[in-house]
Structures are given as C-alpha cells and as structure tokens.
Amino acid sequence: MKTLVVVIHADLENSVINKRWIEELKKYPGRYVVHELHSLYPDERIDVGAEQRLLEMYDKIVFQFPFYWFNCPPFFKKWLDEVLSHGWAYGKGSGYKLTGKKIALAIAAGINEGDYDASGRYKYTLEQLTAPFEVTFDYVKAEYKPLFAFYGAEHNATAERIEKSAGDYVSFIDEL
C-alpha cells in the first residue's frame, strides 16, 4: 500500500530540503502520495471531511515540514486541531479512525544536530521537542514512529548532504 506524505510548507518554491524530498518521492508514484496542504488550501480553510477520508485510506502517514521556532508550522497545528476531531479521531463512539496507522514526522531543522542535545545550545533533542506529537498520536491510538530529520539546513545544507538525505528519506519511509 502507498504511503501518504502530508507536506506542510508555506514556501515550497524557495525551499531547499523539503522541495528536494518531494522531488524524490514523486519519482515513485506507485509508492507515495504527496499531499501539499498549502497548495491545496492557500486560504488555510481546511476541508475536514476530505482530509479525514484521505487519512482513512492509508496505513502509513508521514508529516513533512520545516521546524519553526522549535515547533511545527502554524498551519500544521491548525490542521491537527480541526482534522483530529472528537467523534472521529478520539472520544466515545468515535471508532478512533487512526488506530494502528503508522505515523511519523519528517523534519528539516535549520540548526545543527549537536545543538539539539542536553549539553548543546538549545538543551533539548529534537525528539524531546516533538514529544507533543508522540502524545497526540498515541492519544488517537495511532502507532507513532521515530522521526526523520535533516539538521543544519541554515548553515550546513551542502548539495551532497541534501542529495544523500533524499535517498535516506525514501528508505526511512519504506522501513516504517
């Protein structure tokens, strides 16, 4: 079965990492469906029913986005708030529609990996900073998987590293 990759990036045209990852995924239309939220909803008015039906069709879902201010883009938070609704994703009688679905994050982080460490500049790992996603997806009974990250997008995004990350990303998704 194909994997759904939900991309949340406000400026893909000027993206380096996310744009390259999408290009790589689109080489394999039989394996991945790329769902770009900003191009589908430029006004950020989400068709909640359509999004829920789409999620129900896939057993593996990856949310791909750049890391902003140690968090996800605001449109992703809005999407989570609206799409993972009571009565569909959780709550009495909901059926927990994401039960058992494998869900992972794919993040382009501007900061170098060493800075995301207890002894690093920002004191916390990327896994610690994204713990609310793990809790959220556990809450709706999905199977949260370890994240995939490209570190150093701001100052260490060489062509070689970006190219290697594209292949690594495909392998990561295939192994979910």
Side-chain angles (χ1 to χ4, degrees):
M1 175 175 261
K2 291 182 183 181
T3 300
L4 177 65
V5 180
V6 180
V7 178
I8 310 97
H9 195 299
D11 188 14
L12 274 174
E13 186 64 32
N14 292 307
S15 169
V16 177
I17 311 303
N18 281 274
K19 186 176 179 180
R20 178 62 190 98
W21 289 352
I22 291 167
E23 290 168 356
E24 192 66 22
L25 294 174
K26 286 185 176 181
K27 290 180 182 178
Y28 309 98
R31 291 166 41 196
Y32 315 109
V33 171
V34 176
H35 184 63
E36 297 175 28
L37 291 184
H38 281 279
S39 63
L40 189 58
Y41 305 114
D43 59 0
E44 295 190 9
R45 295 181 64 179
I46 300 165
D47 182 337
V48 172
E51 293 297 306
Q52 290 173 340
R53 287 187 296 279
L54 184 66
L55 293 173
E56 289 177 17
M57 294 170 53
Y58 296 91
D59 292 328
K60 294 194 305 184
I61 303 161
V62 176
F63 294 96
Q64 175 185 318
F65 56 92
F67 210 50
Y68 293 150
W69 289 107
F70 309 99
N71 209 324
C72 68
F75 190 33
F76 186 24
K77 176 63 169 98
K78 178 180 177 166
W79 184 95
L80 289 167
D81 290 344
E82 293 183 15
V83 175
L84 302 186
S85 62
H86 183 273
W88 182 81
Y90 68 97
K92 185 177 179 179
S94 72
Y96 286 85
K97 301 294 186 178
L98 298 178
T99 298
K101 293 182 182 291
K102 294 177 182 178
I103 295 182
L105 306 179
I107 297 172
I111 299 165
N112 291 323
E113 186 171 8
D115 291 330
Y116 286 112
D117 187 79
S119 62
R121 185 175 180 189
Y122 299 106
K123 301 184 265 185
Y124 299 96
T125 66
L126 197 53
E127 289 77 11
Q128 289 171 311
L129 292 168
T130 57
F133 294 98
E134 181 176 2
V135 174
T136 296
F137 290 116
D138 283 349
Y139 188 77
V140 299
K141 300 183 181 183
E143 184 182 339
Y144 185 79
K145 305 303 272 182
L147 61 84
F148 179 84
F150 182 98
Y151 294 93
E154 286 182 32
H155 305 290
N156 195 17
T158 65
E160 295 79 18
R161 284 189 69 230
I162 294 167
E163 198 56 35
K164 182 179 181 323
S165 78
D168 291 347
Y169 184 35
V170 167
S171 295
F172 165 82
I173 294 173
D174 289 346
E175 292 171 12
L176 286 177

